[in-house]
Amino acid sequence: MNKNDAVQALRGITFLAVFLYHAGLVPNGGGWGVSVFFCMSGFLLMYRNMEKDVYVSVEESVRYSLIKIKKMYPLHICMMAMALPWLFLRYRGQEKAAFHIVSRVFVNTFLVQSWFPWESIRYSLNNLSWFLSCMAFMYFMFPLIHRWIKQKESAGSIGVAAAAVCAWMFIYAYVIYCVFGSNNTEFAKGLTYNFPVYRLGDFTIGCLFGALYKKVCVHPSYRVMTVTEGIGMSFFLIVISVDWSRVIYGEASQYWWWREAVFVIPAVFIVWLFVRVGGGGITQRLSQTIFVEIGNISAEAYLIHEVLLWYIDIFMWRILCLDISEWVLLKAAIGLILTIIFVRIWRAVTAVWSKRKCRNM
């Protein structure tokens, strides 16, 4: 099994979970998918850079973050422009409309929107760009995290550090929801689910497990891995298909902190299943399917898809006068097709731009 194909397959599966959630087909794919993406980013970065020396300084951290973000930044700006009509409609006729619009364009342009816990700011244009805002901070922190992990000589100390970070996520989120959750759930969500400092926990745990994977060689049999993969993928499907917070607690907002923090370790486990070369039968088969192709375009598709779903909603509801709740499968199918088309167009345009740039150098 090709490791890169396996990782791309997981990216494809995770993107589809997020997409189906935003399309309205599954109740819980967004939170789970976000945790997998954060953990996967940390896991792979640490795994690939474990043996390297990374210089730690503010300048190096800024440089590292800019290098990592710059590939997706032009697409982020384009999707901001596509979402801009929504911002004008939201504040049309309101007092200080110009201030609200300009300030939100500003924070999105500089990728700091996720630092503001107010929903009207962090979700002010292309909602999903909050993820890129968090990733900019994580890339900034990676040189420091890399040095911290490299100082840990034993696998046991890495495991203890991962447990401590996970415990910190639970405690931090519990305190936030105790203080703000009863009166303002969305504000509490802005200080946890969308907040860079909190989501640094997913990323750091991913980094720690990436280092642990590098240090500890585990070679379970093909049959054991196949069974383990079956359990992991079954858990994945059950999690995205059921809104557990409502089933268990009755009020989703009250226990958001628990639901999101508890995703971290299972997310790392899923990443480990797909990173393992050889693995079991399930990851081998999934790594030879359309999921790999979707994974190859998942980064761009993630930033593009929700804005397209907004416009599909408008077209189906306003123009065709359809009840969207009854046509959700059609909406999802059109949204996925258009997302893939837009990614292909974007890649073709950037390829032409890159060629012209090379000729002019």
Side-chain angles (χ1 to χ4, degrees), residues 28-274:
N28 213 21
W32 169 257
V34 164
S35 285
V36 172
F37 276 132
F38 281 134
C39 289
M40 189 190 313
S41 297
F43 190 105
L44 294 175
L45 266 180
M46 196 65 204
Y47 176 79
R48 292 166 179 168
N49 294 280
M50 184 66 179
E51 308 302 331
K52 298 178 181 178
D53 292 323
V54 178
Y55 182 67
V56 179
S57 70
V58 173
E59 293 80 9
E60 176 63 20
S61 291
V62 171
R63 186 189 70 83
Y64 191 84
S65 182
L66 291 175
I67 289 173
K68 289 292 185 179
I69 289 297
K70 71 176 183 180
K71 181 180 178 181
M72 298 304 298
Y73 188 77
L75 179 58
H76 161 63
I77 296 299
C78 288
M79 297 316 296
M80 274 180 55
M82 283 190 65
L84 199 56
W86 292 83
L87 198 62
F88 282 104
L89 288 173
R90 179 186 296 179
Y91 292 104
R92 183 180 58 182
Q94 292 188 23
E95 187 179 354
K96 297 182 180 179
F99 169 77
H100 289 302
I101 291 169
V102 171
S103 61
R104 282 154 178 78
V105 170
F106 178 85
V107 298
N108 278 270
T109 300
F110 288 94
L111 287 175
V112 294
Q113 67 271 37
S114 60
W115 290 94
F116 295 86
W118 297 276
E119 184 180 16
S120 64
I121 298 180
R122 70 179 192 272
Y123 289 158
S124 52
L125 282 164
N126 179 12
N127 290 351
L128 296 180
S129 64
W130 74 266
F131 181 88
L132 196 61
S133 176
C134 285
M135 285 306 305
F137 176 65
M138 292 174 195
Y139 290 137
F140 175 84
M141 293 296 295
F142 178 71
L144 186 61
I145 294 171
H146 180 274
R147 185 176 70 174
W148 174 61
I149 294 175
K150 284 201 71 172
Q151 291 173 348
K152 301 184 180 304
E153 298 181 355
S154 67
S157 62
I158 294 175
V160 169
V165 174
C166 190
W168 170 82
M169 290 184 70
F170 272 93
I171 294 168
Y172 168 84
Y174 178 75
V175 171
I176 291 296
Y177 273 88
C178 283
V179 175
F180 300 107
S182 59
N183 297 321
N184 194 336
T185 302
E186 281 302 323
F187 189 82
K189 179 183 175 183
L191 287 173
T192 52
Y193 183 79
N194 302 111
F195 197 51
V197 175
Y198 178 70
R199 298 325 296 240
L200 187 65
D202 305 67
F203 180 79
T204 302
I205 290 172
C207 289
L208 287 161
F209 274 85
L212 192 63
Y213 181 81
K214 197 83 171 179
K215 285 179 174 289
V216 180
C217 296
V218 180
H219 299 289
S221 67
Y222 179 85
R223 180 176 296 179
V224 170
M225 277 302 299
T226 300
V227 172
T228 305
E229 290 168 359
I231 294 171
M233 293 308 298
S234 298
F235 179 80
F236 182 95
L237 292 172
I238 291 170
V239 164
I240 70 171
S241 302
V242 179
D243 190 345
W244 289 101
S245 56
R246 291 190 182 277
V247 171
I248 298 173
Y249 300 110
E251 288 294 334
S253 59
Q254 290 181 355
Y255 290 91
W256 186 285
W257 65 272
W258 181 87
R259 188 177 62 149
E260 298 308 323
V262 81
F263 281 166
V264 180
I265 298 302
V268 173
F269 174 64
I270 289 291
V271 172
W272 176 78
L273 288 179
F274 278 82

